[in-house]
Amino acid sequence: MTINATAAILLSLYLAVARKQNVAFDKVKGTLQNDILKEYIARGTYIYPPAPSLRLVTDTFSFCAREVPNWNTISISGYHIREAGSTAVQEIAFTLADGITYIEAAIAAGLEVDEFAPRISFSSTPTTTCWKRLPSFALRDGLGAELCATVSKRATRVH
């Protein structure tokens, strides 16, 4: 679901349907974008102040780690940052900074890194020719994977 400010609400609705259809939460699979920090940087479509917004993200990490283990709790996105006028380097920098912030917030909330980090992904969208974007994707993927590898024993996905 490409949704951020209301991601927790939509996940709740999705799980209500699963419960109504007698589908166990551990069988439910999907992905939330849930990247609220990007909204402050690029789009302005946030609802809550930053601290409560981060709390919703980390609560989603915690809940899904316990109850919905196959759910991808966040896809940290650079493409809106790029579309808002950043350079490719700024896009990668903001995307990775957001990732670090989410990880730090989850750890501060008492979560173990291996509970939530494997469900994190990073994504970008090419805005110029593929050949011009390949180096930035390689940098983002390498740094994103390295960032997650330094805090988690398990790999995080980049796409």
Side-chain angles (χ1 to χ4, degrees):
M1 289 182 260
T2 306
I3 196 79
N4 296 292
T6 58
I9 296 165
L10 290 178
L11 175 60
S12 298
L13 293 171
Y14 197 83
L15 294 175
V17 171
R19 179 172 283 149
K20 186 171 178 103
Q21 295 180 352
N22 294 315
V23 176
F25 286 178
D26 65 347
K27 302 293 184 212
V28 176
K29 296 180 182 181
T31 301
L32 287 176
Q33 190 170 64
N34 201 24
D35 182 7
I36 194 64
L37 294 177
K38 178 248 315 156
E39 299 301 321
Y40 292 98
I41 296 167
R43 298 189 41 171
T45 57
Y46 54 88
I47 297 173
Y48 314 110
S53 294
L54 276 173
R55 169 81 188 269
L56 279 172
V57 172
T58 59
D59 284 355
T60 301
F61 288 176
S62 178
F63 176 78
C64 288
R66 284 189 326 272
E67 305 292 332
V68 196
N70 293 311
W71 193 267
N72 300 311
T73 54
I74 193 166
S75 179
I76 304 167
S77 307
Y79 64 88
H80 287 126
I81 296 168
R82 180 67 179 193
E83 289 175 353
S86 76
T87 66
V89 171
Q90 291 167 330
E91 173 191 356
I92 293 166
F94 278 117
T95 302
L96 292 174
D98 288 352
I100 291 167
T101 302
Y102 292 125
I103 291 168
E104 289 174 344
I107 292 169
L111 297 174
E112 294 292 326
V113 173
D114 287 333
E115 291 179 273
F116 67 88
R119 305 315 302 180
I120 294 174
S121 66
F122 293 85
S123 63
S124 298
T125 300
T127 55
T128 60
T129 65
C130 182
W131 296 113
K132 290 181 182 177
R133 289 295 285 171
L134 283 176
S136 67
F137 286 154
L139 177 62
R140 183 216 56 208
D141 293 354
L143 289 174
E146 185 176 323
L147 165 67
C148 291
T150 61
V151 296
S152 176
K153 298 177 190 115
R154 295 164 46 189
T156 295
R157 294 163 321 278
V158 286
H159 55 92

